[in-house]
Amino acid sequence: MGIRDMFKSKPEPQPGLRSSRSANTSTNNTVTPTQPTGSSEDRHATENNDRVRPAARPTTVSPVSSLVSAKQRLAAVAQDYNASREVLQRLLFTQQETVQQQVTDLSAKLATAKETSTTVSKDLNHLQDEAEAEGEAAMGDLKQQQDALDADVNTQQGQIGSVLANVNELGHELKVLQQRKEKLQADEAEISEAFKSETDPMKIVALADKYRQEIDDNQQQLDKTTQMMTEVETKRDQVKAQLKELRSQLMETQKQQQALDDQRETLQEQVATANESRNQQIETLSEQLTDAESQTAQLQRELGEQNDKLAQINADIRDWLSVPVPVNGLMMDTDTEVIFDMDSFTADQLPVVKQAAQLLLRRGVKQLGLFTATFAIDLSEHLAKWADALGIDSERLKIHSPLYDLQHEGDLSAKVSLPSDPVDDTWNDDRSVRTLTLADQWEVKVRYYNDDATNIAYIGYYKAGQLTEESTVNAAGVLAANRFYQEDGKLDRDEYYRQNGLGVLTVHYSDDQLSQIEVLNPAGMQVQAFGDLDGFNQWWLANEFQNTGLLVGAIENDDYRQLAGVVQGSVAGVVTQAAVAADQLVAWADAFSEQQYFAENYETELKLIERLDRSVNVSLIDQRNMPVTMGVIQSAE
């Protein structure tokens, strides 16, 4: 990139040579660089994608003692650099395209696998829901019975819990009473023990008086406690009997639940057996879902691997080539005609066009073409102006223009002649106009290309002093056009002729304004008609302009971009610093089917590539603006 060469030398034919030119460049007009297909360097670069073997350094370097030699050597180095870079570029972008295609294919397969998983899962859920709904519908009554039994079980379990709590409470109360009874009995035994150890009657009477009240109270408490224990025991037995009854009822209800469960299971088996086809579908879909999920996981792994490869290739492209798109030099054969659309260039751009034209001639182009839509019979003045602006001999420039080219078809016819029997033949004072007076009030006024009255340029026909017809004669002396006037002096029509004398165009006027252009074939029959010059020019470019060379024009010019869409040959846009900075640059480039450009200089080329971000063929007009350095470490040897 940057030090492009528009022409690559044509090597002597050798077996086993191949082109390294980008596939997006037209092969009709190019000389492609060649590389040996079996070279070890090419094979090595192909097999080791992350390595590029450096080109061998010449063993000897002849000293450079002149400015011309230095320029020539630098130009040669630039060509070698371009060729080597294009080899690396081709390999990297071929790999990128291959891996990117694999990523695209895997992404499509992954999307299909995910879609399959989603579809199968949806169908599986639908069948399962359908089976469940059908089973629930078949077991509706059983479900109601089960719900009722479940409610009874819950109620009975709640009752049992309440009664069991009551039994426990009564048991605790009975235990407390038993402890109280045992305490009273112990107190009674202690008093009795006191009487047993005493033999003295008086002391016995004294003890009796002392413990009489205590004995009575203790007996009353003991009787009361015994009675309460009997009552609690009776009540607890009743509650236990109630608890036993409730448990018996619960067991009966649970037996009914079990019987109902067995009945439900039997019915479910009957329903499942009755729809064996759907069961098989569910099983098949389950297997398909498992396969799809497994395939999705595998594709995700493979896609990740390819994305890693693509990232590495893109990193190599960024590190080695600096730009993310393929960039090749604009190449052509030296016998390719390069045609400049002079209508597309402004006066400020002519120096750039001149530099491009001079470069093409130095590179071996034999002749340059100039296109203009100027509707004029004689373009010699325009040719002289452009030849001077481009600094090129006019003999090396070929004019292409719709009217001009059509009029120069066929062999030269006879030269125009004047009436041979004028009544009078006079010149004006400065001998610029010759007047022939004829009979019946007709006059013929003649102008010549020179003063010796040999090459007629113009003839005007007058009737009673009124201009009726004008004839224009080309430099070869052949009639080029006739203009006719109406009686009121307004324009009627123009007739243009081929140089063989046959008509080619008829231009009609209305109120002195062009109204229609008719195109005639050699037989004089109308083949096309247009309402303006633009329509005629477009038709000529698409149908009559046979050049298959390279049409070059300013990229920002709207008319040139329209021409580029209809010409049969290749096209290239000239890009200047002003054009590359324009907001509409990308839109302008989108109008070209071939992305081929002449960049004003190295800086413009870099900005063009950055702005377009697409594969381009570009060459420099000013090829002197080289990079500062290639960044290669030099040896002191």
Side-chain angles (χ1 to χ4, degrees):
M1 181 191 68
I3 46 179
R4 295 283 163 207
D5 195 340
M6 287 178 293
F7 300 92
K8 298 210 171 179
S9 59
K10 296 181 178 179
E12 294 297 326
Q14 300 178 22
L17 295 184
R18 67 179 180 181
S19 170
S20 64
R21 185 179 178 218
S22 172
N24 65 349
T25 305
S26 173
T27 58
N28 296 331
N29 309 313
T30 62
V31 176
T32 57
T34 58
Q35 296 291 336
T37 57
S39 68
S40 60
E41 178 180 345
D42 201 11
R43 289 197 306 271
H44 184 83
T46 303
E47 297 167 0
N48 299 278
N49 299 322
D50 58 340
R51 299 179 59 193
V52 177
R53 296 173 63 185
R57 287 194 308 150
T59 56
T60 60
V61 179
S62 59
V64 177
S65 58
S66 70
L67 188 60
V68 174
S69 298
K71 291 179 179 179
Q72 292 175 344
R73 174 160 296 180
L74 185 57
V77 170
Q79 287 183 329
D80 291 341
Y81 169 81
N82 287 339
S84 298
R85 185 186 185 280
E86 287 180 3
V87 170
L88 175 61
Q89 174 179 268
R90 173 170 50 83
L91 293 172
L92 285 174
F93 280 104
T94 298
Q95 283 188 341
Q96 183 193 55
E97 182 180 0
T98 300
V99 177
Q100 181 62 63
Q101 185 60 49
Q102 292 176 349
V103 168
T104 301
D105 293 344
L106 286 172
S107 297
K109 292 179 181 178
L110 181 60
T112 301
K114 289 182 177 180
E115 183 178 357
T116 300
S117 296
T118 302
T119 302
V120 171
S121 178
K122 182 178 179 180
D123 293 343
L124 181 60
N125 290 335
H126 175 72
L127 289 177
Q128 290 174 335
D129 292 343
E130 187 180 78
E132 184 178 350
E134 186 175 320
E136 290 179 353
M139 293 182 289
D141 293 340
L142 293 179
K143 188 176 186 304
Q144 291 180 358
Q145 296 178 35
Q146 186 177 29
D147 292 341
L149 288 175
D150 290 343
D152 290 344
V153 168
N154 290 334
T155 300
Q156 290 169 355
Q157 287 177 339
Q159 291 175 346
I160 289 174
S162 177
V163 172
L164 182 59
N166 196 6
V167 169
N168 293 335
E169 182 180 352
L170 291 173
H172 177 71
E173 184 178 352
L174 186 62
K175 182 179 179 181
V176 172
L177 291 174
Q178 179 64 34
Q179 291 174 349
R180 183 188 300 174
K181 180 178 179 180
E182 290 175 356
K183 176 67 169 61
L184 291 173
Q185 288 175 343
D187 292 342
E188 183 179 5
E190 182 180 352
I191 295 173
S192 297
E193 187 66 29
F195 278 95
K196 286 181 181 181
S197 60
E198 193 61 52
T199 57
D200 185 354
M202 293 296 294
K203 290 183 179 181
I204 292 173
V205 172
L207 287 173
D209 291 339
K210 177 181 179 181
Y211 289 108
R212 182 175 292 113
Q213 185 63 42
E214 186 175 347
I215 292 171
D216 291 340
D217 292 341
N218 189 62
Q219 186 62 44
Q220 290 177 2
Q221 288 293 327
L222 183 59
D223 294 340
K224 185 178 180 180
T225 299
T226 301
Q227 182 181 359
M228 289 178 63
M229 287 179 66
T230 301
E231 293 174 354
V232 170
E233 185 71 28
T234 301
K235 188 175 181 179
R236 189 177 69 167
D237 291 342
Q238 293 174 349
V239 173
K240 283 184 177 181
Q242 183 182 4
L243 178 61
K244 182 178 180 181
E245 179 64 23
L246 288 174
R247 284 176 171 168
S248 176
Q249 293 176 1
L250 177 60
M251 289 178 64
E252 183 62 28
T253 303
Q254 288 175 336
K255 287 181 181 179
Q256 295 177 13
Q257 274 187 322
Q258 183 62 46
L260 191 60
D261 287 341
D262 294 342
Q263 189 176 355
R264 280 171 58 88
E265 185 176 347
T266 300
L267 185 56
Q268 285 176 340
E269 291 177 356
Q270 292 174 351
V271 171
T273 303
N275 203 335
E276 188 65 29
S277 174
R278 183 175 58 205
N279 295 338
Q280 183 62 41
Q281 291 180 22
I282 291 176
E283 183 178 353
T284 301
L285 288 175
S286 298
E287 294 175 355
Q288 291 178 357
L289 182 59
T290 301
D291 293 341
E293 290 175 345
S294 175
Q295 184 182 14
T296 298
Q298 177 64 25
L299 288 172
Q300 286 176 331
R301 287 192 296 270
E302 294 179 5
L303 182 59
E305 294 173 357
Q306 294 302 320
N307 278 325
D308 290 342
K309 291 182 181 179
L310 185 60
Q312 180 59 50
I313 294 171
N314 289 335
D316 282 344
I317 291 174
R318 181 187 64 250
D319 295 341
W320 280 94
L321 305 179
S322 301
V323 292
V325 293
V327 178
N328 292 289
L330 182 60
M331 294 172 286
M332 66 198 76
D333 291 329
T334 54
D335 55 359
T336 298
E337 183 179 9
V338 181
I339 303 172
F340 290 96
D341 178 9
M342 300 305 295
D343 295 342
S344 70
F345 297 108
T346 65
D348 294 339
Q349 292 173 323
L350 287 180
V352 177
V353 180
K354 176 180 179 180
Q355 195 172 12
Q358 295 286 348
L359 174 64
L360 289 167
L361 293 176
R362 289 197 305 271
R363 294 297 187 185
V365 171
K366 301 176 181 61
Q367 189 175 53
L368 296 178
L370 304 179
F371 169 79
T372 177
T374 302
F375 197 82
I377 295 173
D378 186 5
L379 295 176
S380 57
E381 183 179 346
H382 292 79
L383 179 60
K385 180 188 69 173
W386 290 327
D388 181 64
L390 301 180
I392 302 173
D393 189 338
S394 60
E395 294 183 357
R396 302 189 69 175
L397 297 174
K398 181 181 178 181
I399 288 288
H400 296 279
S401 181
L403 176 61
Y404 183 85
D405 280 23
L406 288 175
Q407 285 199 292
H408 286 76
E409 292 179 348
D411 297 328
L412 288 174
S413 63
K415 291 186 177 182
V416 173
S417 61
L418 297 174
S420 58
D421 54 350
V423 176
D424 188 29
D425 186 350
T426 60
W427 288 83
N428 61 357
D429 293 339
D430 60 1
R431 292 188 62 84
S432 62
V433 178
R434 179 185 179 187
T435 302
L436 302 178
T437 303
L438 308 179
D440 300 329
Q441 298 182 320
W442 280 95
E443 285 186 343
V444 177
K445 296 185 181 295
V446 184
R447 294 189 183 91
Y448 294 87
Y449 283 105
N450 45 38
D451 295 336
D452 59 4
T454 56
N455 294 322
I456 299 173
Y458 165 85
I459 305 174
Y461 298 89
Y462 294 81
K463 177 68 178 291
Q466 177 71 36
L467 180 63
T468 61
E469 180 181 348
E470 293 178 293
S471 297
T472 301
V473 183
N474 63 28
V478 177
L479 178 64
N482 277 331
R483 169 166 285 186
F484 299 91
Y485 292 88
Q486 299 175 359
E487 292 183 358
D488 59 1
K490 291 184 177 181
L491 290 173
D492 181 62
R493 71 187 186 279
D494 292 333
E495 294 180 356
Y496 295 90
Y497 308 96
R498 296 176 174 88
Q499 66 180 10
N500 59 10
L502 299 176
V504 63
L505 289 182
T506 300
V507 180
H508 296 276
Y509 296 90
S510 176
D511 291 332
D512 285 338
Q513 300 296 320
L514 188 153
S515 60
Q516 188 180 52
I517 300 176
E518 298 177 357
V519 181
L520 308 177
N521 63 16
M525 302 296 293
Q526 176 183 317
V527 294
Q528 291 289 337
F530 308 96
D532 53 33
L533 287 174
D534 288 341
F536 165 65
N537 291 332
Q538 293 285 337
W539 170 84
W540 179 82
L541 281 167
N543 298 275
E544 298 295 320
F545 184 44
Q546 300 300 324
N547 187 279
T548 56
L550 180 67
L551 181 65
V552 180
I555 188 174
E556 66 268 33
N557 185 271
D558 294 338
D559 292 335
Y560 169 68
R561 293 197 303 276
Q562 292 180 3
L563 298 182
V566 297
V567 296
Q568 298 181 19
S570 296
V571 296
V574 172
V575 183
T576 61
Q577 293 183 11
V580 82
D583 294 337
Q584 307 93 323
L585 176 68
V586 175
W588 293 340
D590 289 341
F592 292 104
S593 59
E594 297 175 296
Q595 295 298 300
Q596 301 187 142
Y597 303 97
F598 285 94
E600 183 176 8
N601 50 41
Y602 180 70
E603 181 181 359
T604 301
E605 181 189 30
L606 291 180
K607 290 182 179 178
L608 175 68
I609 296 169
E610 178 184 359
R611 288 286 308 278
L612 296 187
D613 191 26
R614 66 186 66 169
S615 178
V616 295
N617 289 0
V618 58
S619 288
L620 301 179
I621 294 175
D622 184 354
Q623 297 190 330
R624 298 167 298 180
N625 190 2
M626 297 292 182
V628 175
T629 177
M630 294 294 182
V632 178
I633 299 177
Q634 299 182 10
S635 173
E637 298 177 359

